[in-house]
């Protein structure tokens, strides 16, 4: 491996954490690739993107930036960093510049997720007004988020969710990195968390190389080899 070999930075989404890539990471490490899986704060789109951008800037050499779900919105913004050479969206939001998650989702019928969200106040330092954390009802999480993941694991994931602050849904993306970076998109065609048409629309609008996998939202745990293959395709394009 040389300094020209890209580092793969894996960005998780809402209601999940870095462990959602636990089955993809060994595949990439076995290829001899450098991999980072940072914890995303899940507090605000621009704040989360700024944090991931700081992780990317600390990497020597090129980066392939991969985002799952809400992580797709994060890499849409953070991906403008100079050393990001390719983007990979996994069942993710590919926002247009000036567009929010809520606006993109609002173009299409709601998924099953919409009726299963839980809103919980949390204290905001320096403010008298609380923020709002968004999670998924624990008993509905396996079917909506992880239908083709082993039931025992899905139950663990359901009680260990990383919330997303509600403010992130309304925040507009200040930039759209896919306009200047080669991009790949994976549609989870049996997704009950994000309407698959939301994924398709964003990818087609961006002119991405797109693949479809018959999977739940957590495609990285359900079909890790297919996810790794798509990332490898992006890596090869950067390394060529």
């Amino acid at each position: 491996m040389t300094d020209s070999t890209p580092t793969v930075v894996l960005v998780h989404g809402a209601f999940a954490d870095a462990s959602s890539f636990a089955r993809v990471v060994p595949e990439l490490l076995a290829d001899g690739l450098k991999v980072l899986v940072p914890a995303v704060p899940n507090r605000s789109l621009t704040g989360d993107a700024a944090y991931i951008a700081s992780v990317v800037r600390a990497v020597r050499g090129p980066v392939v930036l991969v985002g799952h779900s809400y992580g797709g919105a994060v890499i849409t913004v953070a991906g403008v960093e100079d050393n990001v050479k390719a983007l990979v969206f996994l069942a993710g939001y590919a926002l247009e510049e000036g567009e929010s998650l809520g606006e993109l989702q609002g173009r299409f019928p709601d998924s099953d997720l919409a009726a299963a969200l839980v809103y919980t106040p949390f204290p905001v330092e320096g403010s008298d007004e609380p923020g709002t954390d968004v999670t998924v009802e624990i008993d509905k999480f396996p079917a909506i988020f992880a239908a083709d993941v082993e039931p025992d694991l899905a139950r663990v994931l359901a009680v260990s969710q990383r919330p997303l602050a509600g403010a992130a849904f309304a925040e507009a993306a200040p930039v759209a990195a896919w306009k200047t970076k080669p991009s790949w998109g994976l549609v989870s065609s049996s997704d009950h968390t994000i309407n698959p048409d939301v994924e398709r629309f964003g990818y087609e609008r961006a002119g991405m190389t797109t693949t479809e996998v018959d999977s739940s939202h957590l495609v990285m745990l359900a079909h890790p080899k297919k996810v790794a293959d798509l990332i490898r395709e992006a890596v090869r394009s950067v390394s060529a």
Side-chain angles (χ1 to χ4, degrees):
M1 291 284 141
T2 67
D3 278 350
S4 64
T5 303
T7 297
V8 179
V9 177
L10 303 169
V11 179
H12 68 78
F15 323 131
D17 59 22
S19 68
S20 59
F21 288 104
R23 290 176 178 163
V24 172
V25 170
E27 295 270 337
L28 302 176
L29 292 178
D31 290 349
L33 290 169
K34 294 170 285 186
V35 181
L36 283 176
V37 196
V40 184
N42 282 5
R43 299 293 82 187
S44 73
L45 177 57
T46 53
D48 295 339
Y51 176 73
I52 293 301
S54 74
V55 172
V56 167
R57 285 194 299 272
V59 174
R60 287 185 59 190
V63 166
V64 170
L65 194 54
V66 181
H68 172 248
S69 188
Y70 167 69
V74 174
I75 71 169
T76 295
V77 180
V80 297
E81 290 298 314
D82 289 344
N83 59 330
V84 173
K85 302 304 179 186
L87 305 170
V88 180
F89 292 76
L90 305 173
Y93 295 102
L95 299 179
E96 174 61 277
E97 185 176 331
E99 183 179 57
S100 69
L101 296 177
E103 287 170 338
L104 176 54
Q105 285 197 147
R107 298 169 181 260
F108 300 91
D110 284 342
S111 69
D112 293 341
L113 175 70
L117 294 174
V118 178
Y119 302 93
T120 308
F122 69 89
V124 176
E125 187 175 359
S127 173
D128 294 332
E129 292 295 318
T132 301
D133 262 343
V134 184
T135 54
V136 184
E137 287 183 41
I138 288 172
D139 61 338
K140 294 181 179 178
F141 181 99
I144 290 174
F145 212 75
D148 51 356
V149 174
E150 303 91 315
D152 286 349
L153 176 56
R155 283 193 290 270
V156 172
L157 297 171
V159 299
S160 54
Q161 298 177 48
R162 190 179 187 106
L164 178 65
F169 288 97
E171 200 173 344
V175 292
W178 49 258
K179 292 183 180 232
T180 56
K181 310 288 172 100
S183 303
W184 284 257
L186 183 150
V187 175
S188 288
S189 60
S190 294
D191 201 331
H192 290 272
T193 298
I194 299 177
N195 182 333
D197 285 338
V198 172
E199 301 165 21
R200 293 184 186 105
F201 174 83
Y203 300 168
E204 289 167 8
R205 177 173 63 181
M208 292 186 200
T209 302
T210 303
T211 187
E212 300 220 1
V213 177
D214 183 10
S215 175
S216 71
H217 191 59
L218 275 178
V219 63
M220 312 89 70
L221 287 173
H223 302 279
K225 292 187 183 301
K226 291 182 178 179
V227 169
D229 283 345
L230 187 64
I231 295 170
R232 287 178 182 121
E233 188 178 326
V235 167
R236 282 194 298 270
S237 79
V238 171
S239 305

